Amino acid sequence: MATLGVDVLINIMTFLRPPDITCKALYIACLHRIVWLNALEQMMEEHCIPKATFPTASMDNHALEHAALSPVKFSTLVKDSYDEDISPRSFRLLSNSLTREEKAIHSIKSAKSYTDILLTPGGRFLITSMQVTVVGSQESTSYLQLWDLGLPGRKDKAKVVASSIIAKKMVHLRQLSPTPDGSGFYLVSSHEIAPFSILVHKITAFEPVPKITRVNKWKIPAPLVSLAISDSRLAVLYSPSTIMVWDFESNLSATWDGHVELDGESPLPIHLYNDNIILYHSGKLSMWKVQELLPGERGTSAQHQCLFTFTELFGKEHPGNEIDYENDYLLPYSPWTCNSHQPKFLGINTASKFALYHLQNLTNIAAAHVPNILPTHIATVHDLGEDTMLASALQFCNGNLLYTAINDEGDTVFLCGVSNPLVQCQTVEALPTKCLAVPHHANAITNVQLCAATGRMCVLSGEEDIYVMDYLHPPPRKHDCPSLHQK
């Protein structure tokens, strides 16, 4: 290494992952800005973080290095901590009071409390929904706010950069997904009280002047169970067991009976990958190929055969080693991972076991009766976590797969996961389950949003307070970081 020129070393480091750059032999080359700029871009791609999250043009070497190595630091914190609890380095409480200007612009008479939150990968942008009443109406409606929280680890002042009344009655925020043009993301929400409907908005969060605009709306005849978004397509499951695929940009759809018994107790997330629908229920993983999408009600089909049903998903069962299928569920779907080039995984959880599956692409098969993906069992891990509810989707952090879950009392956030499943000849093992400590007055937690790659978590407590917590130390020196939306 010592005989190689700096230019050669810099070129070599473009092929290395960020944690592999920090060695003595590469120290001189590491002083060059381009090294950490490339490392941060690679980190963002690996963890599905939008490029606009970090203002790289104004970040110096220390800030770039800190951001690029954040996944390593958080992963090390989880693995090496002797304590079961991991405490945040800092936390803040978002204000739930509106300014006079906000109330005047949207004719808001009174604001009550937060009802939902969604955090983008990277942890910089947060979507919140607040219950408000507007002038001339007695009914509550949803007031949407786009927050710029600043870079994780810093104490940047959080501010609202866009807001809108998105419906005449309350909605439930469901998912965020990156837009194909890279200007921001789609927000999918739903009305939980009849008449039921699904709403899609586009939020241009990465533009100089962010905007929130309505894209489309679709009425459904029954309560929504779950949904998944990929590009401009939505896969929807609603009562009693109807599956619908809707392209909200072209307004085309297909609907069929999934023949799934809904018990209303266990989570039943639907997954959408390319033209494939995946559902898991009572020990069975079922797959459908998406039919041709047609305009309006023409997309309705009473019969559409399931392509495959997989059983024995946790391996061969033996006497005395049966699975309790009353508490099993498929972890939720992540639109950010689905729309990236990163490997895709399914996690199936029970009270005592966790099964991990890798979705292999079958790109050369285009037949209508053959799926484009194949779930391949990687490992079954025993005693992964606690008896939890409201588990999150799987997310990458330094190659490991992590997810959060809330206990039944709503006062503890668990961090669970498995070691790197992509390393050849290495056994996939359960990572030590940790408790992500929250402020003691943050009880009755109803929503947890974590970006493990940057060590930031947001929680909604008691449907009133939102806490923003950073678990990593800030960069070693202070650096100015202008807002993406400075005027």
Side-chain angles (χ1 to χ4, degrees):
M1 285 286 189
T3 61
L4 298 178
V6 172
D7 291 344
V8 176
L9 292 176
I10 291 175
N11 286 329
I12 291 174
M13 285 188 284
T14 60
F15 297 96
L16 300 179
R17 295 183 63 247
D20 300 326
I21 293 174
T22 54
C23 71
K24 293 182 179 179
L26 301 176
Y27 173 75
I28 298 299
C30 287
L31 298 178
H32 290 259
R33 174 183 173 80
I34 187 64
V35 171
W36 293 111
L37 186 62
N38 290 337
L40 178 55
E41 290 179 352
Q42 185 184 46
M43 187 280 281
M44 287 190 288
E45 181 178 358
E46 181 178 326
H47 295 87
C48 308
I49 297 174
K51 289 186 177 181
T53 300
F54 293 97
T56 54
S58 61
M59 296 170 67
D60 65 14
N61 283 15
H62 290 282
L64 292 171
E65 178 182 351
H66 173 78
L69 296 178
S70 290
V72 181
K73 294 177 181 179
F74 188 79
S75 180
T76 302
L77 181 66
V78 173
K79 288 183 176 181
D80 295 348
S81 174
Y82 292 103
D83 298 327
E84 290 187 0
D85 291 358
I86 299 178
S87 299
R89 303 300 179 186
S90 64
F91 75 89
R92 339 169 230 172
L93 181 66
L94 286 191
S95 172
N96 60 359
S97 61
L98 302 181
T99 65
R100 290 183 178 180
E101 182 181 7
E102 286 177 299
K103 290 181 177 180
I105 291 175
H106 302 286
S107 301
I108 295 175
K109 181 169 55 177
S110 63
K112 297 181 180 179
S113 60
Y114 289 116
T115 57
D116 271 318
I117 59 173
L118 290 173
L119 185 68
T120 61
R124 180 170 179 180
F125 299 100
L126 179 73
I127 297 291
T128 64
S129 176
M130 179 181 286
Q131 184 178 1
V132 301
T133 55
V134 297
V135 175
S137 174
Q138 298 300 320
E139 293 187 9
S140 295
T141 187
S142 289
Y143 177 57
L144 198 72
Q145 294 173 299
L146 169 65
W147 293 80
D148 184 347
L149 302 178
L151 295 186
R154 294 174 52 90
K155 295 183 179 179
D156 299 324
K157 184 179 180 180
K159 60 181 181 180
V160 177
V161 294
S163 59
S164 177
I165 300 287
I166 62 170
K168 293 182 179 180
K169 60 180 183 177
M170 294 300 298
V171 299
H172 175 38
L173 305 187
R174 292 283 184 166
Q175 284 186 5
L176 290 174
S177 177
T179 56
D181 62 6
S183 64
F185 37 82
Y186 291 121
L187 168 68
V188 184
S189 58
S190 64
H191 286 129
E192 303 296 288
I193 302 175
F196 305 104
S197 59
I198 302 168
L199 297 88
V200 181
H201 288 80
K202 184 177 181 180
I203 304 177
T204 54
F206 311 141
E207 296 292 334
V209 181
K211 295 181 180 178
I212 302 172
T213 55
R214 169 82 68 86
V215 177
N216 212 335
K217 177 180 178 179
W218 188 278
K219 295 181 179 180
I220 55 177
L224 178 67
V225 176
S226 63
L227 58 79
I229 179 173
S230 176
D231 292 327
S232 63
R233 283 185 172 188
L234 272 178
V236 178
L237 175 65
Y238 60 85
S239 299
S241 63
T242 304
I243 297 174
M244 179 184 75
V245 177
W246 172 42
D247 189 318
F248 50 80
E249 290 285 5
S250 58
N251 213 32
L252 304 175
S253 70
T255 307
W256 66 90
D257 189 347
H259 300 287
V260 177
E261 183 179 348
L262 306 180
D263 55 22
E265 296 181 1
S266 301
L268 195 58
I270 191 170
H271 286 227
L272 172 63
Y273 301 97
N274 300 325
D275 288 329
N276 305 273
I277 302 289
I278 294 180
L279 269 178
Y280 174 83
H281 186 64
S282 299
K284 298 178 180 179
L285 192 70
S286 302
M287 293 182 59
W288 292 264
K289 195 77 171 285
V290 176
Q291 299 177 213
E292 179 185 2
L293 304 186
L294 300 173
E297 297 300 323
R298 291 175 56 197
T300 300
S301 173
Q303 299 295 327
H304 181 44
Q305 294 297 321
C306 176
L307 291 180
F308 292 103
T309 298
F310 300 88
T311 58
E312 295 188 353
L313 297 168
F314 294 85
K316 192 72 175 178
E317 295 182 18
H318 302 285
N321 192 32
E322 292 82 6
I323 303 296
D324 179 9
Y325 287 114
E326 292 185 1
N327 300 310
D328 62 323
Y329 57 90
L330 176 66
L331 292 187
Y333 169 88
S334 171
W336 300 88
T337 303
C338 174
N339 288 287
S340 73
H341 299 293
Q342 297 303 318
K344 297 165 182 59
F345 296 91
L346 297 177
I348 305 173
N349 208 8
T350 71
S352 61
K353 293 184 178 182
F354 176 85
L356 183 66
Y357 279 77
H358 177 221
L359 295 179
Q360 291 186 324
N361 287 317
L362 306 177
T363 54
N364 295 326
I365 301 177
H369 60 283
V370 179
N372 302 110
I373 56 174
L374 178 66
T376 304
H377 181 259
I378 293 180
T380 295
V381 179
H382 295 263
D383 301 322
L384 180 61
E386 308 287 335
D387 185 13
T388 56
M389 64 176 187
L390 296 178
S392 70
L394 289 169
Q395 60 177 291
F396 282 104
C397 182
N398 193 35
N400 300 308
L401 287 172
L402 306 176
Y403 69 93
T404 59
I406 310 172
N407 68 341
D408 291 330
E409 291 75 24
D411 58 6
T412 305
V413 179
F414 294 105
L415 180 65
C416 310
V418 294
S419 59
N420 195 332
L422 303 179
V423 178
Q424 297 289 339
C425 303
Q426 179 173 306
T427 303
V428 175
E429 297 179 344
L431 298 176
T433 298
K434 301 291 184 178
C435 296
L436 294 176
V438 299
H440 62 86
H441 35 278
N443 49 26
I445 297 171
T446 58
N447 193 330
V448 173
Q449 300 284 309
L450 171 71
C451 177
T454 56
R456 171 168 285 175
M457 183 172 75
C458 299
V459 299
L460 176 60
S461 171
E463 296 191 351
E464 293 181 359
D465 297 323
I466 297 175
Y467 294 89
V468 180
M469 288 154 287
D470 288 314
Y471 290 85
L472 299 179
H473 285 295
R477 295 187 303 180
K478 294 182 179 179
H479 310 284
D480 292 330
C481 174
S483 169
L484 187 68
H485 308 110
Q486 271 189 345
K487 294 181 180 179

